[in-house]
């Protein structure tokens, strides 16, 4: 059987993003569990804020189309979602909005999202570890017909959570990320 294909990214545009570090750990774990993993950073796909007038006038921006193609090529998603003002980042929501759009009349709705399986994680400096961001992201994904694993991982006090190798210093937290990634690969296999 072919390996499950999983797209992994953090929802931050920040160079030193804790969530991109978390995504990188999860990507390695998914690879070790037998998946074909594509790890990307949203900062490498800068795109305008979604605007239907812009879409009508110019179509899908190049980087949004590239990101949409990556979604199309993968059956699974691992998303590490930062928390801004108790919710997900505009960058993450904006990326989802763009890739949710059809680019031709015969393309079915949500073609690159529907039927996918996802695992979600978060890291934040606060005590909730980004749980409120995941509380937004989870129903959003479900509503666009992505199956989201019940388990999730949140990392509080993210400023102190990563070691010099960008792994989680706490062995239990590192194991939780590995287990979540392995559970996703297992569900997709
Ligand atoms: C506009 C803004 C709002 C924020 N709101 C929250 C918040 O509600 N809860 C929280 O835990 N952290 C909050 N933070 C702190 C972020 O969690 C922190 O900047 C974190 O590093 C972002 O994730 P990243 O490291 O992956 O970029 C906020 C940061 C910004 C810039």
């Amino acid at each position: 059987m072919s390996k499950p294909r999983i797209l992994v990214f953090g929802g931050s545009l920040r160079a030193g993003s804790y969530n991109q570090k978390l995504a990188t750990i999860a990507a390695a774990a998914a690879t070790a569990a037998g998946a074909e993993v594509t790890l990307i950073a949203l900062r490498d796909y800068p795109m305008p804020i979604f605007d239907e007038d812009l879409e009508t006038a110019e179509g899908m921006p190049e980087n949004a189309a590239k990101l949409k193609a990556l979604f199309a090529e993968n059956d699974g998603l691992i998303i590490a979602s930062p928390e801004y003002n108790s919710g997900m980042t505009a960058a993450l929501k904006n990326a989802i909005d763009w890739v949710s759009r059809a680019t031709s009349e015969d393309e079915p709705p949500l073609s690159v999202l529907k039927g996918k399986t996802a695992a979600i994680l978060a890291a934040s400096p606060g005590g909730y570890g980004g749980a409120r961001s995941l509380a937004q992201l989870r129903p959003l994904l479900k509503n666009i017909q992505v199956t989201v694993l019940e388990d999730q991982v949140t990392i509080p006090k993210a400023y102190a959570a990563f070691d010099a190798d960008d792994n989680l210093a706490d062995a239990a937290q590192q194991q939780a990320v590995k287990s979540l990634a392995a559970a996703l690969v297992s569900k997709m296999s």
Side-chain angles (χ1 to χ4, degrees), residues 12 14 16-20 82-86 123-126 132:
S12 175
R14 196 169 77 85
S17 164
Y18 301 131
N19 286 277
Q20 193 63 31
E83 183 171 298
Y84 281 4
N85 294 315
S86 311
S124 96
R132 293 174 299 189

Side-chain angles (χ1 to χ4, degrees), residues 4 6 8 24-37 78 177-178 181-182 184-185:
I6 301 178
V8 186
T24 304
I25 296 168
T31 303
E36 178 99 30
V37 171
I78 297 177
V177 176
K178 286 185 179 176
L184 180 66
V185 175

Side-chain angles (χ1 to χ4, degrees), residues 6-10 20 23-24 26-27 30 37-41 76-79:
I6 301 178
L7 181 65
V8 186
F9 60 95
Q20 193 63 31
T24 304
V37 171
T38 303
L39 172 66
I40 60 162
L77 302 169
I78 297 177
I79 305 176

Side-chain angles (χ1 to χ4, degrees), residues 2-180:
S2 60
K3 292 180 169 187
R5 295 172 65 92
I6 301 178
L7 181 65
V8 186
F9 60 95
S12 175
L13 304 180
R14 196 169 77 85
S17 164
Y18 301 131
N19 286 277
Q20 193 63 31
K21 291 181 185 182
L22 201 53
T24 304
I25 296 168
T31 303
E36 178 99 30
V37 171
T38 303
L39 172 66
I40 60 162
L42 276 190
R43 62 185 277 110
D44 294 332
Y45 299 82
M47 62 187 76
I49 292 287
F50 183 83
D51 170 352
E52 284 196 68
D53 290 341
L54 174 70
E55 183 189 42
T56 302
E58 298 177 22
M60 187 170 286
E62 191 182 346
N63 281 334
K66 282 184 187 167
L67 190 61
K68 189 180 173 197
L70 285 170
F71 272 70
E73 289 163 13
N74 287 275
D75 314 310
L77 302 169
I78 297 177
I79 305 176
S81 178
E83 183 171 298
Y84 281 4
N85 294 315
S86 311
M88 74 186 81
T89 58
L92 176 56
K93 179 63 165 58
N94 191 48
I96 294 171
D97 287 344
W98 275 116
V99 304
S100 73
R101 300 296 287 172
T103 45
S104 67
E105 276 184 18
D106 56 352
E107 185 182 333
L110 306 173
S111 68
V112 306
L113 293 158
K114 196 174 175 174
K116 297 220 177 331
T117 310
I120 56 176
L121 313 86
S124 96
Y128 295 117
R132 293 174 299 189
S133 165
L134 300 188
Q136 272 197 340
L137 179 61
R138 178 179 291 278
L140 180 152
L141 291 173
K142 284 187 176 172
N143 288 337
I144 53 176
Q145 298 177 46
V146 175
T147 299
V148 185
L149 295 192
E150 284 301 324
D151 282 347
Q152 63 186 38
V153 174
T154 51
I155 307 293
K157 299 190 173 66
Y159 50 83
F162 296 89
D163 66 19
D165 297 323
D166 285 342
N167 284 309
L168 288 158
D170 181 292
Q173 287 183 337
Q174 180 81 2
Q175 187 53 49
V177 176
K178 286 185 179 176
S179 297
L180 184 68

